[in-house]
Amino acid sequence: MPLNDFFFGPTRSLRNSKALFWLGLSLLFSLFYSYLALREAFADPYVIEDDARQHVFWMLRFVDSDLFPNDLIANYFQSVAPAGYAALYWLFAKLGVGPILASKLLPGILGLLATAYGYALALEIVPAPLVGFVASLLYNQNLCLQDGLFSATPRAFVPPLLLAFLYYFLRRSIWGVCISIVLLGTFYPSLVFVCCGLLVLSLISRQAGRFRLATAKSEYLLVGVGLATAFCVLLPYAVTTSEYGPVITLAQARELPEFGDGGRSSFFLDSAWDYWVNGSRSGLRIAAALMPPLAYLSLLFWIVPRKKENYQTSRYQIGFTRQAGIFPRLLLSSLVMFLVAHRLLFTLHLPSRYTQHTLRIIMIFSASIVLTFIWEWLLKRGAQSRLPIKLFCGLMAGLLAVMLVVYPHTVGRFISTGYRIGHEPSLYQFLQQQPKGTLIASLTAEADNLPTFARRSVLTSREYAIPYHLGYYQRFRQRVSDTIAAQYASDAQTLQDFIETYGVTHWLIEDGSFEPEYISGNKWIRHHQPAADEAITSLGDHPVPVLATTQDVCSVFSGDRYTVLNSQCTLDQIADR
């Protein structure tokens, strides 16, 4: 049947008109999802993705090198940025596209690349263009149900780069494998270890119930060149010593509330299931891979017949080839690195980095093969049956098609971009008018937005409380404790010493911040002990801190919720007493 062949007929060539049609349709859906995200990105003048507030703000230095002078936070995040990631934003800046704008445009480009490589990869495993369309569509939907792609941070580059590596690996392209490893190493180096594991495992196959090593010299050449490339890419990370080291140890992390359940970098979760399976940092992240619900069809992968190279081993055209052997090898390589990362916490950073991206590919692509096989089975079954069964099979096939295309749009968080809107434009505009050396002390949540929207340095902020490198975080944590002590100090000397020590030029104060409930109701502030409890005690003994007494005189900006105080004025008021 011509229609049956159009949907399920085999072809591996991307130049085939049928393959080009389904590829074009895949790209159209990717463009549509990008449009939905861009609509959010440009809905307000002050919009930034949540994680981009950490990883993108410092790149404003590419536009104006005088920004964030001697800024601990900016210097730290610049130091941990992968080289390729930073270089790409630098290139955009030199072309006149600022970092914030680039962070909004890049997800659409990365989505298109991931769609194209995902489609091509699917055709290598099952040479049916419909499978490629379903796989790329489900993969796009999975990405859009989470905010990783839209963060435009290093993890946003994983989908196209990892899919490219897998595609070139199946094609046995030495150049493709090496280039994709280099790019992964300069954007998201953790996954290079997984790629190395896959290369090694590719030399082992099972034949007649026994495991055998590959005999073809070309296989060993591909693996050898790939491993050598990975070694060269990872070597700089191994020999370079960070000025913000050392990396925090497991014992040290257990002592910090930030790593506890509900902490800023929660890792040690109360539930063992969450810790090992679904934890965003410690777990495999299986739940994240099983989105949308059609991804659960991957559990039925065993029902799909395996095809020989002539595709004539069953009456169905849909069936996976020996290339599907990449799935168990990729899974094994990821699980090994996941366990190694747990064993060496936190030397290899977070264990979830080694499984969340690979599980997504394995689940989504397996589910796509199953879904397409079910469609073919239903249509063949219906064509050979009487009217009631024919109608039932047609209805089920139609429902699956509708669910594939429509379901994500019924979910409230689709598209889940993670964009944050700044609601204090007058505050940002005021601070932008201040000298570039301005340093703002604050305990408010709004301080998270100031480096991005006001382009001015903050002494501390919850958003930048990343505790993996002690050389950074010990200093940062001390700053937070000192800020708490100074803001609620009942003696002028403590406040004066703080301002002079850190060179604070302004304070950002939120309405109600001088009430005990402001501290007790803020989990992040309470994690900094004993400073938080001492501040509550001080407010009980001395209801009006010294800083609060200067608020009326030293206010240089006053909004509906926030007030900015001039620190020099505060020092002058203290001196006059």
Side-chain angles (χ1 to χ4, degrees):
M1 294 174 60
L3 185 60
N4 192 66
D5 184 68
F6 176 74
F7 283 109
F8 308 112
T11 180
R12 263 204 179 100
S13 174
L14 291 174
R15 298 179 181 179
N16 180 283
S17 60
K18 181 170 57 177
L20 289 174
F21 169 79
W22 289 110
L23 173 59
L25 192 59
S26 302
L27 294 172
L28 282 176
F29 270 96
S30 180
L31 282 171
F32 175 63
Y33 295 153
S34 296
Y35 160 74
L36 295 179
L38 286 171
R39 193 169 59 177
E40 289 188 36
F42 293 98
D44 189 273
Y46 297 99
V47 176
I48 188 70
E49 203 278 335
D50 187 17
D51 287 343
R53 291 185 295 181
Q54 295 175 20
H55 299 282
V56 174
F57 87 93
W58 65 266
M59 296 182 188
L60 291 167
R61 286 171 162 176
F62 294 154
V63 179
D64 185 347
S65 59
D66 293 330
L67 290 177
F68 312 118
N70 303 313
D71 188 321
L72 171 68
I73 296 172
N75 291 345
Y76 171 71
F77 282 98
Q78 182 171 356
S79 74
V80 298
Y85 174 72
L88 181 63
Y89 273 90
W90 175 86
L91 179 60
F92 269 107
K94 296 308 175 184
L95 294 175
V97 181
I100 307 303
L101 176 59
S103 71
K104 298 176 183 180
L105 299 178
L106 275 171
I109 299 172
L110 297 175
L112 287 172
L113 290 172
T115 299
Y117 274 113
Y119 180 87
L121 175 65
L123 256 64
E124 289 297 315
I125 299 170
V126 177
L130 181 58
V131 174
F133 167 73
V134 175
S136 60
L137 180 58
L138 278 177
Y139 192 73
N140 266 290
Q141 291 173 352
N142 181 281
L143 293 176
C144 291
L145 286 165
Q146 303 166 74
D147 64 359
L149 177 66
F150 302 106
S151 69
T153 61
R155 62 183 172 136
F157 292 81
V158 171
L161 295 180
L162 182 57
L163 288 170
F165 168 80
L166 297 177
Y167 170 72
Y168 292 122
F169 171 75
L170 289 184
R171 298 284 294 182
R172 294 304 189 262
S173 168
I174 292 180
W175 280 107
V177 165
C178 291
I179 292 173
S180 54
I181 286 177
V182 169
L183 290 175
L184 270 173
T186 55
F187 280 87
Y188 203 86
S190 299
L191 284 181
V192 173
F193 291 105
V194 176
C195 295
C196 291
L198 181 60
L199 286 170
V200 173
L201 290 172
S202 70
L203 297 175
I204 305 172
S205 62
R206 189 174 183 181
Q207 300 175 14
R210 298 179 64 183
F211 290 102
R212 301 178 184 275
L213 287 175
T215 57
K217 292 182 179 179
S218 59
E219 293 293 313
Y220 287 93
L221 177 62
L222 174 67
V223 173
V225 174
L227 292 178
T229 302
F231 176 80
C232 294
V233 169
L234 294 177
L235 184 60
Y237 295 99
V239 300
T240 302
T241 303
S242 171
E243 63 176 298
Y244 298 102
V247 174
I248 194 170
T249 66
L250 175 61
Q252 291 167 335
R254 289 190 181 278
E255 298 297 320
L256 287 177
E258 287 86 339
F259 285 93
D261 204 344
R264 172 64 181 88
S265 298
S266 57
F267 187 90
F268 304 108
L269 307 181
D270 296 335
S271 165
W273 175 263
D274 287 337
Y275 179 76
W276 288 106
V277 178
N278 289 326
S280 63
R281 297 177 178 88
S282 62
L284 296 167
R285 300 211 65 190
I286 292 178
L290 292 172
M291 295 192 296
L294 282 175
Y296 281 90
L297 289 175
S298 60
L299 303 178
L300 301 177
F301 187 68
W302 57 271
I303 72 172
V304 181
R306 177 167 182 169
K307 294 286 188 179
K308 300 297 183 182
E309 288 304 317
N310 58 9
Y311 310 111
Q312 300 298 321
T313 57
S314 77
R315 60 196 179 93
Y316 296 104
Q317 297 188 73
I318 295 299
F320 63 86
T321 68
R322 62 186 180 87
Q323 299 282 49
I326 194 174
F327 290 156
R329 291 183 176 92
L330 182 61
L331 178 61
L332 179 57
S333 178
S334 301
L335 290 177
V336 168
M337 285 308 307
F338 173 81
L339 295 175
V340 170
H342 263 288
R343 180 66 181 85
L344 300 177
L345 285 174
F346 290 86
T347 303
L348 296 178
H349 205 42
L350 301 175
S352 64
R353 287 190 167 198
Y354 300 94
T355 54
Q356 59 178 315
H357 303 287
T358 53
L359 283 177
R360 174 186 292 143
I361 292 174
I362 294 169
M363 297 295 189
I364 292 296
F365 281 67
S366 298
S368 303
I369 297 170
V370 174
L371 177 58
T372 311
F373 174 74
I374 290 175
W375 272 332
E376 186 182 9
W377 183 87
L378 287 171
L379 294 178
K380 280 184 176 293
R381 177 73 173 173
Q384 299 168 359
S385 304
R386 295 181 178 180
L387 184 60
I389 296 180
K390 186 189 298 288
L391 290 175
F392 175 77
C393 290
L395 177 62
M396 292 302 297
L399 285 175
L400 286 173
V402 170
M403 187 175 181
L404 171 66
V405 176
V406 175
Y407 169 78
H409 298 275
T410 66
V411 179
R413 57 196 181 97
F414 187 83
I415 304 246
S416 180
T417 59
Y419 283 130
R420 299 289 185 264
I421 299 177
H423 297 289
E424 303 295 331
S426 58
L427 172 63
Y428 312 142
Q429 292 164 11
F430 167 77
L431 291 175
Q432 286 178 10
Q433 296 170 4
Q434 306 310 305
K436 294 176 183 178
T438 294
L439 179 61
I440 305 157
S442 182
L443 297 173
T444 70
E446 188 57 45
D448 295 342
N449 295 324
L450 298 187
T452 301
F453 297 143
R455 304 190 178 192
R456 295 298 180 263
S457 299
V458 293
L459 186 68
T460 60
S461 166
R462 181 184 183 276
E463 182 65 22
Y464 307 104
I466 304 301
Y468 300 110
H469 290 90
L470 292 178
Y472 166 75
Y473 195 64
Q474 286 177 339
R475 294 169 62 187
F476 184 94
R477 186 173 175 81
Q478 185 61 53
R479 287 182 172 198
V480 179
S481 295
D482 290 347
T483 302
I484 296 171
Q487 181 162 317
Y488 297 100
S490 58
D491 63 295
Q493 191 62 48
T494 299
L495 178 58
Q496 180 178 341
D497 290 345
F498 172 81
I499 293 174
E500 293 176 346
T501 298
Y502 290 108
V504 171
T505 61
H506 294 78
W507 286 80
L508 178 64
I509 303 297
E510 186 175 8
D511 291 349
S513 60
F514 292 111
E515 300 294 330
E517 294 76 18
Y518 188 85
I519 304 173
S520 59
N522 189 310
K523 183 182 294 186
W524 179 64
I525 296 178
R526 291 203 319 272
H527 280 168
H528 294 81
Q529 297 295 346
D533 285 346
E534 290 174 353
I536 293 176
T537 301
S538 178
L539 286 174
D541 297 337
H542 306 276
V544 183
V546 175
L547 184 64
T549 64
T550 70
Q551 186 167 339
D552 291 338
V553 177
C554 296
S555 172
V556 290
F557 171 87
S558 182
D560 294 336
R561 184 176 176 182
Y562 298 98
T563 301
V564 176
L565 308 183
N566 181 283
S567 295
Q568 185 57 53
C569 173
T570 299
L571 291 176
D572 293 341
Q573 290 296 310
I574 292 174
D576 291 341
R577 294 179 181 179

